Amino acid sequence: MSNTKRTVDETTLENLLYLSRLSPESTDMATLKKQVDEIVGYFDILSKYDDSENPYDAYPSTDAEKLREDEIVGGLEMRDVKKINEAEFMDGYFQVPKVLGEGA
């Protein structure tokens, strides 16, 4: 990396003005060029840091062999569910609190 400070030339500055929909008449070009050069300088500072590390290393990995087997197991029988929740079970359905309407 070179030690020279990178700056923005006039053509690039005019292109930035066009992209940002600013007109050269509405802004002080010297101040704007100084501010853009400072922003470019920040990128020089950021480029000093090592970014070769894989960002996905921060997340835990999952190995396929550690996952559970895909096997079918029996579910709950309806008669057992009725015994547990007999008070809320009516006509083959469970009664639940009303969530739509004025109370929502």
Side-chain angles (χ1 to χ4, degrees):
M1 185 175 163
S2 65
N3 291 334
T4 60
K5 185 175 179 182
R6 291 190 290 182
T7 59
V8 176
D9 62 350
E10 294 298 323
T11 306
T12 306
L13 187 59
E14 288 175 11
N15 289 337
L16 287 172
L17 287 172
Y18 174 75
L19 290 172
S20 62
R21 305 293 191 250
L22 293 174
S23 64
E25 297 86 26
S26 67
T27 184
D28 180 26
M29 292 295 284
T31 305
L32 185 63
K33 182 170 179 358
K34 181 182 171 205
Q35 291 173 344
V36 171
D37 287 340
E38 288 176 5
I39 292 170
V40 171
Y42 292 134
F43 286 104
D44 289 334
I45 293 170
L46 290 174
S47 67
K48 293 178 184 177
Y49 294 98
D50 181 27
D51 64 346
S52 63
E53 184 178 308
N54 186 355
Y56 297 108
D57 288 342
Y59 303 105
S61 62
T62 306
D63 297 328
E65 56 268 2
K66 291 184 182 177
L67 297 177
R68 65 173 172 81
E69 293 294 323
D70 192 17
E71 56 188 48
I72 299 173
V73 295
L76 297 174
E77 294 292 329
M78 190 55 79
R79 63 180 176 274
D80 297 331
V81 174
K82 285 181 188 178
K83 290 178 189 175
I84 296 171
N85 298 317
E86 194 170 339
E88 291 90 20
F89 197 79
M90 185 174 88
D91 296 331
Y93 297 98
F94 288 101
Q95 293 179 347
V96 294
K98 184 175 182 179
V99 293
L100 299 177
E102 296 176 18

